[in-house]
Amino acid sequence: MNMSTRIRRRHFLVGAGGTAVLGASGASVAILPAIAQDAQGGSLPSYADWKNPEAMVIHTELTLETVRDAIGTSVVTSNDVFFIRNNLNPPSEEVVQDRDAWEVSFEGVANPRTMTLGELKTLGLETVATIIQCSGNGRGLFDHDASGAPWRTGAAGCAVWSGVPVRAVAEELGGSVDGARFMTSTGGEELPEEVNRDEIVVERSVPLEAMENAILAFEMNGAPVPIAHGGPLRMIVPGYYGINNVKYVRTVAFTEEESTADIQVSGYRVRPVGESGAPDQPSMWDMKVKSWVIHPLMETTSGRVLIYGVAFGGTNPVERVEVSTDGGETWEDAEFTGPDLGRFAWRVFVLPAELEPGDYTVTSRATDSQGNVQEQTTEPNHRAYDYAGWDRLAVGVTVV
Amino acid sequence: MNMSTRIRRRHFLVGAGGTAVLGASGASVAILPAIAQDAQGGSLPSYADWKNPEAMVIHTELTLETVRDAIGTSVVTSNDVFFIRNNLNPPSEEVVQDRDAWEVSFEGVANPRTMTLGELKTLGLETVATIIQCSGNGRGLFDHDASGAPWRTGAAGCAVWSGVPVRAVAEELGGSVDGARFMTSTGGEELPEEVNRDEIVVERSVPLEAMENAILAFEMNGAPVPIAHGGPLRMIVPGYYGINNVKYVRTVAFTEEESTADIQVSGYRVRPVGESGAPDQPSMWDMKVKSWVIHPLMETTSGRVLIYGVAFGGTNPVERVEVSTDGGETWEDAEFTGPDLGRFAWRVFVLPAELEPGDYTVTSRATDSQGNVQEQTTEPNHRAYDYAGWDRLAVGVTVV
């Protein structure tokens, strides 16, 4: 396939692996390798065979990435292009035959008990738009090798979720026990008996205060949550990395200590390359400020060009986005467009530009309401979590 | 099929056709017939075979209704349950092979010309959440016979649309001509040659001021607009009845007079039963204030019940929703939940209630920002447009 064929097809450009040069400002920017990654149709796993194959990069059966510009410009990411990252095989279709019969146990409350989704639905209704982003989103932009899918930008999406506020459930059950510092959620995947539970279970603890915004979600973008995305019931912790948004949630416990599961104790811990994971390292909880351009990619026509992309601040609203077409030497403020779906959602930013023929390095830099500015580069970390540097999130654009 | 089977299946209750009684307040309310309308799976037309068959009532190949409670609680209505009402057969799949090549002619501007969608996309980007509602939504709630699908509540949905602001296009082309009073959009369906164009063409004029909010939409809920919903390009006139949101838009003209097409001159005109349509009658332009309950329907368990539904004010924001469980004798204020997607979107309202066993008549009454209150009943009109009365939008609920 030659380059012009590629350009006509859906593609995205990765900003990694290029030669680093010094811009006039002294900034180290990635020069853009002409690496386009086309979606690979035809091998969607059966539990996700309803996805749009043209929009998905299939890394493995359990890791499907969204093509960079397939998230669209409408704030909400359509279910059929939403990325998937499952730690374990999803449960069978049986779990959604009678969604309201799904049972969840609540522990660490004054009156612990098991409730069905049908019962839970009488306790409250809340809708929140939030980004779900895999901790490893951007892994493919680091230089070092790290296990896990080499995501670029596409392990993130923004959806509108509806469900039952966790705080309403806690209140119904008499409140969380004294001393509780964490909310610990356990997934309902079937575990092989021969393996130690802690080695494999999807169980994550988040600080108790995250409960205030958390919902037990039964709807995703207006549809019953698909199994591929954690249906019938998913714990949604707005503004937190994907792993904390436990799918097929079976147990919610308010605990004094964090879970003893491996993915809590040593997994999802940020540490220098080569170090083992340990509880004293930062956990992948709330997300950091980040943005990236989704248009134009690769090539465009000279004249007026709308440069646009998405930006978010994790648990803080994003307040400002600057755009550079020269790899970070100069910046111009972009404007937000579209409805503001709240602080956990991303916003679409737009900058109209007049571009002469030539080569451009286009990138964006977001600032959140607390003054946190998107970093220029992301320090290597052992598991290559969340590359958020504007240098390698840049795209190379040839204007003809 | 017995009643208990019905209750376990997806269904909705129609509020029409029941015996009218006088409530204590003297209000005439519809008593709720035990008529459940199940979705009829299996016969989705090919252009819409990706819809969820369980969520659709298939009136005809071109009229598919959303089951009352399948719109969900997340503000956005998922594409796969969104209703369809097409006046003509949709064009073939070819029109979406190269979406950016789709051409639109602009007339009634200083510099009229044809532009491709690719060109249009350089002019601006705007996202708007709006309800699309068929003029005939609620037709099945009137007593009199009228041609058209007997929709109940399900010819309405709320989606997030992205596209090019029409005002930016007009500006690019030198502005609309002096004296222009209407924006007239023409659909791109293929017309049979033997029929007079005006008799069949989908062409609608709206007051010029509607241009301010109108967009040429290429995305619906984050996905390229499906053919079934007017893709590759649909005129979206936020807050206006569905017919004005012309699909497959091929021509946009700024005109002194309204279109001479039948659907403008005599169609979509509100007039007494038995009268012919004429230009001096009100046209189905901006929508009126309306709301309806989507939960509970039919039967529910005693104790705490969340009563919820949707409410909107057309081009005005909806400000208040009251809920009655006794057919309009007494009312209680509900609260809105979920993000506010702007004045053209609907809002989800919720009222927690404690219900003893018995029979209830549950309905809602919305008020918009201009003080317009949802009507109690809708006067019969020839084509049975937009039944918005809270009397027959009521649902009968048996609490056990």
Side-chain angles (χ1 to χ4, degrees):
Chain A
M1 185 168 62
N2 64 26
M3 184 52 64
S4 64
T5 309
R6 281 192 146 141
I7 288 171
R8 282 195 297 272
R9 295 184 53 189
R10 275 188 178 284
H11 57 253
F12 71 107
L13 182 76
V14 296
T19 316
V21 298
L22 286 187
S25 65
S28 170
V29 299
I31 285 289
L32 316 138
I35 301 170
Q37 182 169 12
D38 290 294
Q40 298 125 23
S43 35
L44 289 167
S46 60
Y47 73 97
D49 59 7
W50 50 274
K51 293 271 171 187
N52 177 353
E54 289 183 25
M56 309 309 294
V57 179
I58 300 159
H59 294 296
T60 71
E61 280 238 323
L62 298 179
T63 47
L64 282 69
E65 178 164 4
T66 309
V67 167
R68 185 160 180 158
D69 59 356
I71 53 173
T73 63
S74 303
V75 188
V76 296
T77 307
S78 166
N79 288 5
D80 67 348
V81 306
F82 212 97
F83 85 100
I84 296 176
R85 191 277 193 257
N86 258 33
N87 283 59
L88 300 174
N89 287 324
S92 79
E93 282 285 331
E94 278 170 37
V95 300
V96 294
Q97 291 310 305
D98 183 358
R99 290 172 176 264
D100 281 357
W102 181 262
E103 292 184 335
V104 189
S105 294
F106 295 91
E107 301 170 4
V109 287
N111 306 301
R113 71 179 181 95
T114 297
M115 298 179 83
T116 63
L117 175 50
E119 283 178 272
L120 285 168
K121 282 180 175 174
T122 68
L123 299 181
L125 174 65
E126 201 161 281
T127 302
V128 63
T130 187
I131 295 153
I132 302 288
Q133 180 185 214
C134 180
S135 300
N137 197 29
R139 180 175 290 123
L141 304 184
F142 285 100
D143 288 328
H144 66 291
D145 288 330
S147 69
W151 310 107
R152 277 75 175 230
T153 58
C158 184
V160 182
W161 304 83
S162 274
V164 184
V166 177
R167 63 180 189 282
V169 184
E171 191 183 337
E172 171 73 10
L173 301 178
S176 55
V177 291
D178 284 352
R181 295 186 302 139
F182 300 97
M183 177 177 75
T184 298
S185 307
T186 313
E189 298 95 339
E190 212 167 301
L191 304 182
E193 285 186 16
E194 67 277 13
V195 181
N196 182 297
R197 180 182 180 277
D198 275 347
E199 288 179 26
I200 191 162
V201 68
V202 177
E203 186 170 272
R204 284 288 295 178
S205 303
V206 295
L208 190 62
E209 60 263 31
M211 179 183 75
E212 284 308 308
N213 303 305
I215 63 172
L216 290 158
F218 51 80
E219 269 185 36
M220 174 186 185
N221 287 332
V225 181
I227 291 181
H229 295 293
L233 197 64
R234 184 171 186 174
M235 172 63 78
I236 293 293
V237 187
Y240 277 55
Y241 289 98
I243 188 64
N244 305 291
N245 298 264
V246 172
K247 295 169 172 167
Y248 330 112
V249 60
R250 274 296 193 197
T251 305
V252 178
F254 300 99
T255 53
E256 282 187 44
E257 303 297 335
E258 297 183 43
S259 166
T260 56
D262 284 5
I263 68 168
Q264 184 78 27
V265 175
S266 56
Y268 297 90
R269 297 284 175 179
V270 184
R271 71 274 190 179
V273 176
E275 272 191 27
S276 296
D280 62 342
Q281 300 152 351
S283 196
M284 294 301 283
W285 281 334
D286 50 321
M287 297 189 285
K288 59 188 175 187
V289 64
K290 189 170 177 180
S291 71
W292 60 86
V293 167
I294 59 171
H295 181 84
L297 304 177
M298 301 286 290
E299 187 175 281
T300 194
T301 311
S302 63
R304 181 173 30 204
V305 175
L306 291 192
I307 299 170
Y308 53 77
V310 291
F312 55 95
T315 55
N316 301 317
V318 62
E319 283 209 338
R320 180 186 187 192
V321 178
E322 301 153 281
V323 166
S324 173
T325 56
D326 54 14
E329 289 183 44
T330 60
W331 298 90
E332 202 171 333
D333 276 315
E335 292 199 348
F336 292 119
T337 189
D340 181 352
L341 302 196
R343 64 185 167 118
F344 306 116
W346 59 32
R347 299 218 57 188
V348 176
F349 63 85
V350 186
L351 180 73
E354 288 287 337
L355 298 182
E356 303 287 313
D359 290 324
Y360 296 82
T361 301
V362 183
T363 195
S364 60
R365 183 170 66 183
T367 304
D368 74 13
S369 62
Q370 303 301 303
N372 299 306
V373 181
Q374 181 175 357
E375 58 208 18
Q376 179 176 342
T377 193
T378 299
E379 285 301 304
N381 64 80
H382 188 74
R383 288 299 314 282
Y385 288 132
D386 200 5
Y387 196 96
W390 54 255
D391 54 358
R392 293 184 177 183
L393 285 166
V395 289
V397 178
T398 300
V399 176
V400 293
Chain B
M1 186 167 61
N2 64 26
M3 183 54 63
S4 64
T5 309
R6 280 191 146 141
I7 288 170
R8 281 195 298 271
R9 295 184 54 188
R10 275 187 177 284
H11 57 253
F12 72 106
L13 182 76
V14 297
T19 315
V21 297
L22 287 187
S25 64
S28 169
V29 299
I31 283 290
L32 318 140
I35 300 170
Q37 182 168 15
D38 289 295
Q40 299 124 23
S43 35
L44 288 166
S46 60
Y47 73 97
D49 58 8
W50 49 273
K51 293 271 172 187
N52 177 354
E54 290 183 23
M56 309 308 295
V57 180
I58 300 159
H59 293 296
T60 71
E61 280 238 322
L62 298 179
T63 47
L64 282 70
E65 178 164 4
T66 309
V67 167
R68 185 160 181 158
D69 59 356
I71 54 174
T73 63
S74 303
V75 188
V76 295
T77 309
S78 165
N79 289 5
D80 67 347
V81 305
F82 211 97
F83 85 100
I84 295 177
R85 191 277 193 255
N86 257 33
N87 282 59
L88 300 174
N89 287 323
S92 79
E93 281 285 330
E94 279 170 35
V95 300
V96 295
Q97 291 309 305
D98 184 358
R99 289 172 177 264
D100 281 357
W102 180 262
E103 292 184 334
V104 189
S105 294
F106 295 91
E107 301 170 3
V109 287
N111 307 302
R113 73 179 182 93
T114 296
M115 298 179 82
T116 63
L117 174 50
E119 284 179 271
L120 286 168
K121 282 180 175 174
T122 68
L123 299 182
L125 174 65
E126 201 161 281
T127 302
V128 63
T130 187
I131 295 153
I132 303 288
Q133 180 185 214
C134 180
S135 300
N137 197 29
R139 180 174 291 123
L141 305 184
F142 285 101
D143 288 327
H144 66 292
D145 288 330
S147 68
W151 310 108
R152 277 76 174 231
T153 58
C158 184
V160 182
W161 304 83
S162 273
V164 184
V166 177
R167 62 179 190 282
V169 184
E171 191 183 337
E172 172 74 8
L173 301 179
S176 56
V177 292
D178 284 351
R181 296 186 303 138
F182 300 97
M183 178 176 74
T184 298
S185 307
T186 313
E189 297 96 338
E190 211 167 302
L191 304 182
E193 283 186 18
E194 65 278 15
V195 182
N196 183 297
R197 180 181 181 278
D198 274 348
E199 287 178 24
I200 191 161
V201 69
V202 177
E203 186 170 272
R204 283 289 294 178
S205 303
V206 295
L208 190 62
E209 60 263 30
M211 179 183 75
E212 283 308 308
N213 302 306
I215 62 171
L216 289 158
F218 51 80
E219 267 185 37
M220 175 184 184
N221 286 334
V225 181
I227 291 182
H229 295 292
L233 197 64
R234 183 172 187 174
M235 172 63 77
I236 293 292
V237 186
Y240 278 56
Y241 288 99
I243 187 64
N244 305 290
N245 297 267
V246 172
K247 294 170 173 168
Y248 330 112
V249 61
R250 274 295 194 198
T251 305
V252 178
F254 301 100
T255 53
E256 283 187 43
E257 304 296 337
E258 296 183 43
S259 166
T260 56
D262 284 5
I263 67 168
Q264 184 77 27
V265 175
S266 55
Y268 297 91
R269 298 284 176 179
V270 184
R271 71 274 190 179
V273 176
E275 271 191 26
S276 297
D280 61 341
Q281 299 152 352
S283 196
M284 294 301 283
W285 282 334
D286 50 321
M287 297 188 286
K288 59 188 175 188
V289 63
K290 189 171 177 179
S291 72
W292 59 86
V293 167
I294 59 172
H295 181 85
L297 304 177
M298 300 285 292
E299 187 176 281
T300 194
T301 310
S302 63
R304 181 173 30 203
V305 175
L306 291 192
I307 300 171
Y308 52 78
V310 292
F312 55 95
T315 56
N316 301 318
V318 63
E319 283 209 340
R320 180 185 187 192
V321 178
E322 300 153 283
V323 166
S324 173
T325 56
D326 54 14
E329 289 182 44
T330 60
W331 297 90
E332 202 171 333
D333 276 316
E335 292 199 348
F336 292 119
T337 189
D340 181 353
L341 302 196
R343 64 185 167 121
F344 305 116
W346 59 30
R347 299 218 57 188
V348 176
F349 63 84
V350 187
L351 179 74
E354 287 287 337
L355 298 182
E356 302 288 311
D359 290 324
Y360 295 82
T361 301
V362 182
T363 195
S364 60
R365 183 170 66 183
T367 304
D368 74 13
S369 62
Q370 303 302 302
N372 299 305
V373 181
Q374 181 175 357
E375 58 208 18
Q376 179 176 344
T377 192
T378 299
E379 285 301 303
N381 64 81
H382 188 74
R383 289 298 314 283
Y385 288 132
D386 199 6
Y387 195 96
W390 53 256
D391 54 357
R392 293 184 176 183
L393 285 166
V395 289
V397 178
T398 300
V399 176
V400 293

